[in-house]
Amino acid sequence: MSIKLQNVNFIYGQGTGKEKQALKNINIEINDGEFLGLAGHTGSGKSTLVQLLNGLERATSGEIFYNGQNIYDKSYNMRKLRSKTGLVFQYPEHQLFETTVINDVQFGPKNLGLPQLEVELRSFNALKMAGIDDSLLDVSPFALSGGQKRRVAIAGVLAMQPEVLVLDEPAAGLDPAGRDEILGLLKKLHKESNTTIILVSHSMEDLAGYVDRMLVMNKGEIVLDGKPGQVFQFEKELEKIGLGVPQPAKVIHQLKEAGADIKGEPVTAEESIEAIYKWLSKEAL
Amino acid sequence: MIRDITIGQYYASDSVIHKLDPRVKVVCTFAYIISLFCFNQLSGYIIAAVFFWCIIKLSKVPFKFVIRGIKPILFMLVFTAMLNLFWTSGGNVLVKFGIITITEEGIERTVFMALRLVFLIIGSSIMTLATTPNQLTDAIEKLLKPLNRVKVPVHEVAMMMSIALRFIPILVEETDKIMKAQLARGADFESGNIFRRIKSMAPIIIPLFVSAARRASDLALAMDARCYNGGSGRTKMKPLEYKGRDIAAYLVMAGYIAVIIIAGKYLPF
């Protein structure tokens, strides 16, 4: 089970004279159960790419295979694809519309045509997973706080139990605590259900501690692909395209340049502290 | 998907007509429309047609775009033509079939009425093709300014118009986004009978209203924070000023009106 993109190109506004190539010759393979980070500056084509993954936009040329099947085949069921790849848009709280929290979360699973009992069960589970208290189930979603709204909206997609979950900037506009909560929720979900998660963000800090693999996009092309530690080795290149690397990785790079004998490629603050500590205790000997 | 919708039909170009002061265009369009009712003989129609043909050529707008303005009123055009054709009495009877009577007079009136309507629509669509919506509201604000004396909030009305116009593309984009988000949640907007389809619009309409209200209140707050308090004492970054070509345009227009009136009085046909 995997997603495979082959020579995918996407051009906005074709035939209007204001054409803009948003994606250039994309070739990637996303494996089952992967926690993938997709990084890129504003306008690099990240959001366009994720919309192709569940068929909301159609590639101008190239093929996309989902579990080995070409999604552009005439016989392919697009609605089924959409139910398997859950897409959480930027600011998902803007799509809430129902009278109560629980009704809103049920919208997705209901559309899948599941029996009512199953719909309710999935919705309760999704809300629980998203950390929404039971006392909020019958409250209007518009009465919640920003962070709570966001989590309800994400629960609305989780309740569909997608095989692949794509999130476009899920932490945008949240305070640090809210951001950690959302990203922690994803990590937990990934661990427990082995869902493939694709996390889109322009913040390297957000991605560093969570993802297994990282894709970096620039001007519609994939420029880097690898583990966060490997990707962060290209500090200069990343800075050139307006991304940079997280502070801890930067400190480690500078120490290494100054001649420190630090092993490995730590990415998070904790890993870096540990690596520096090891190096210092070795120096002291 | 829905992003292809365009409201207003401005056609960008750098022609003389585009460069004219928008007030000139508004006033002249009105004058032109009124002039269409100042004559009742063939020569008048010919003069009016020649005149607006020159304007179209000057504006560099392709004729295809200009003619497109007629499409929405095609039904009305046919309807009024039918009424004129069947319900005009007097003159030589050409066809008589049951209650339907077609007279010579009727045909003449039908043709002239239809022509008049077409001229009217084309005339005003040249204005909207060559003037941006914002220029138009600017012009209307300035032209209606004397009404301030009788306590008509001209500036406020113009401001509301320009805000409404400004918000159209934003809301179109928002609709597109919400639609995609709901599609991703398995929403189905295309199947079922009309009632089902109307019901299936709720997941789009409600978030759209919520976001429109939110944007409106944000905008109000932002305007308030910049001490906006209506039109009194407000200056403009680009004030409308008449230039030589604007005066010339008024003169040409006056000349045209004079020709139309004289032709109406002295030409025999």
Side-chain angles (χ1 to χ4, degrees):
Chain A
M1 305 240 274
S2 65
I3 304 171
K4 198 169 161 190
L5 280 77
Q6 239 171 39
N7 307 322
V8 168
N9 283 287
F10 188 82
I11 298 167
Y12 272 112
Q14 205 167 26
T16 58
K18 286 180 284 187
E19 291 167 7
K20 191 177 170 278
Q21 185 151 18
L23 294 175
K24 272 178 230 159
N25 205 24
I26 302 279
N27 282 294
I28 43 171
E29 197 166 347
I30 300 161
N31 302 313
D32 198 28
E34 217 166 23
F35 198 149
L36 182 78
L38 184 58
H41 204 251
T42 314
S44 61
K46 305 173 298 220
S47 299
T48 309
L49 182 61
V50 296
Q51 286 182 29
L52 289 180
L53 291 182
N54 75 346
L56 281 174
E57 295 281 7
R58 199 192 161 97
T60 313
S61 69
E63 309 293 342
I64 297 174
F65 296 93
Y66 187 80
N67 292 342
Q69 281 175 295
N70 189 338
I71 68 166
Y72 295 140
D73 270 352
K74 275 212 177 80
S75 57
Y76 198 85
N77 187 343
M78 235 12 152
R79 272 175 67 90
K80 199 136 195 193
L81 174 73
R82 285 187 194 143
S83 73
K84 282 184 188 157
T85 53
L87 176 54
V88 178
F89 275 86
Q90 270 179 57
Y91 299 102
E93 61 271 26
H94 291 175
Q95 30 160 303
L96 299 173
F97 68 98
E98 270 286 5
T99 45
T100 63
V101 165
I102 185 74
N103 281 349
D104 206 290
V105 174
Q106 285 180 355
F107 179 69
K110 255 188 200 159
N111 284 332
L112 298 182
L114 299 168
Q116 184 58 25
L117 199 70
E118 175 80 12
V119 168
E120 279 173 24
L121 196 71
R122 281 184 176 203
S123 307
F124 281 122
N125 282 339
L127 281 166
K128 203 169 188 181
M129 187 148 227
I132 295 293
D133 195 81
D134 283 354
S135 64
L136 296 175
L137 294 188
D138 291 320
V139 172
S140 161
F142 299 108
L144 301 177
S145 75
Q148 285 172 327
K149 275 187 201 166
R150 175 90 41 110
R151 275 180 283 152
V152 168
I154 293 178
V157 175
L158 288 183
M160 297 171 77
Q161 298 188 349
E163 291 169 10
V164 181
L165 182 62
V166 187
L167 302 102
D168 195 354
E169 301 276 8
L174 293 183
D175 54 35
R179 186 193 65 198
D180 289 347
E181 255 174 58
I182 297 268
L183 297 177
L185 154 76
L186 296 179
K187 193 161 196 173
K188 203 173 101 194
L189 176 76
H190 181 243
K191 224 181 207 167
E192 285 173 6
S193 65
N194 201 34
T195 310
T196 308
I197 297 184
I198 302 172
L199 183 56
V200 180
S201 177
H202 66 272
S203 158
M204 291 302 217
E205 271 87 358
D206 284 358
L207 294 175
Y210 296 95
V211 303
D212 308 326
R213 180 181 159 201
M214 203 178 225
L215 295 172
V216 180
M217 291 188 72
N218 185 38
K219 290 180 183 161
E221 285 174 294
I222 302 228
V223 287
L224 289 171
D225 179 358
K227 282 193 175 12
Q230 296 168 336
V231 168
F232 293 155
Q233 299 299 309
F234 298 89
E235 193 180 333
K236 291 229 168 58
E237 289 80 354
L238 286 171
E239 259 161 23
K240 212 179 266 170
I241 60 175
L243 284 171
V245 300
Q247 281 301 334
K250 217 174 199 166
V251 170
I252 295 284
H253 287 168
Q254 280 172 6
L255 282 172
K256 276 185 178 174
E257 253 171 53
D261 176 31
I262 296 174
K263 294 267 181 317
E265 291 144 359
V267 274
T268 63
E270 289 78 17
E271 286 169 11
S272 306
I273 290 169
E274 206 175 309
I276 293 173
Y277 186 75
K278 262 189 197 152
W279 162 61
L280 284 177
S281 42
K282 212 166 38 186
E283 287 276 285
L285 282 177
Chain B
M1 264 181 269
I2 195 169
R3 209 175 293 171
D4 307 326
I5 296 174
T6 49
I7 308 254
Q9 37 169 357
Y10 181 67
Y11 182 89
S13 165
D14 59 348
S15 76
V16 192
I17 303 288
H18 283 73
K19 280 187 201 144
L20 284 179
D21 188 296
R23 282 172 293 172
V24 177
K25 286 184 265 189
V26 172
V27 171
C28 289
T29 306
F30 265 103
Y32 176 73
I33 288 172
I34 293 165
S35 81
L36 289 177
F37 295 90
C38 293
F39 53 81
N40 216 346
Q41 82 288 28
L42 188 64
S43 58
Y45 287 98
I46 294 169
I47 295 167
V50 168
F51 181 68
F52 86 57
W53 182 255
C54 296
I55 301 289
I56 293 174
K57 281 288 136 204
L58 275 176
S59 72
K60 291 186 191 160
V61 177
F63 191 65
K64 205 172 63 191
F65 278 83
V66 181
I67 222 78
R68 217 178 266 174
I70 298 178
K71 237 193 219 162
I73 62 133
L74 207 60
F75 173 76
M76 213 183 82
L77 199 65
V78 172
F79 189 72
T80 39
M82 295 288 231
L83 281 184
N84 269 306
L85 191 59
F86 297 141
W87 270 270
T88 306
S89 51
N92 292 331
V93 176
L94 293 177
V95 182
K96 197 165 166 64
F97 184 79
I99 52 160
I100 296 169
T101 322
I102 298 176
T103 64
E104 215 167 79
E105 179 114 336
I107 290 176
E108 194 186 311
R109 262 214 197 177
T110 305
V111 171
F112 280 172
M113 199 65 213
L115 269 179
R116 201 168 263 169
L117 271 174
V118 168
F119 283 11
L120 200 146
I121 297 300
I122 289 183
S124 43
S125 70
I126 291 173
M127 177 181 75
T128 49
L129 280 164
T131 322
T132 64
N134 277 333
Q135 284 177 328
L136 268 185
T137 43
D138 250 19
I140 289 168
E141 181 182 353
K142 194 127 192 201
L143 285 170
L144 296 183
K145 211 152 202 183
L147 286 180
N148 252 336
R149 297 237 173 99
V150 284
K151 299 245 153 64
V152 178
V154 174
H155 169 79
E156 280 72 13
V157 172
M159 183 56 111
M160 280 194 280
M161 266 170 73
S162 51
I163 289 174
L165 288 168
R166 176 71 192 81
F167 266 55
I168 288 169
I170 292 179
L171 289 180
V172 167
E173 200 175 306
E174 190 95 7
T175 312
D176 186 55
K177 241 193 233 162
I178 294 169
M179 220 164 145
K180 276 184 182 164
Q182 306 299 23
L183 274 174
R185 291 170 79 189
D188 181 7
F189 305 123
E190 271 131 28
S191 59
N193 59 29
I194 182 125
F195 293 106
R196 258 196 71 133
R197 275 198 222 179
I198 290 172
K199 232 182 127 192
S200 75
M201 292 313 268
I204 298 176
I205 303 288
I206 293 167
L208 194 63
F209 271 120
V210 172
S211 108
R214 190 186 56 237
R215 280 182 194 282
S217 98
D218 284 355
L219 180 67
L221 198 66
M223 286 167 80
D224 214 16
R226 292 182 215 172
C227 305
Y228 176 78
N229 56 4
S232 57
R234 221 176 145 73
T235 55
K236 283 208 183 293
M237 187 172 152
K238 290 176 188 160
L240 293 176
E241 269 165 18
Y242 282 127
K243 296 201 179 78
R245 57 167 173 258
D246 300 316
I247 310 289
Y250 275 133
L251 289 177
V252 169
M253 196 64 207
Y256 159 74
I257 300 271
V259 169
I260 278 279
I261 289 172
I262 291 166
K265 267 209 170 133
Y266 298 110
L267 282 182
F269 57 91

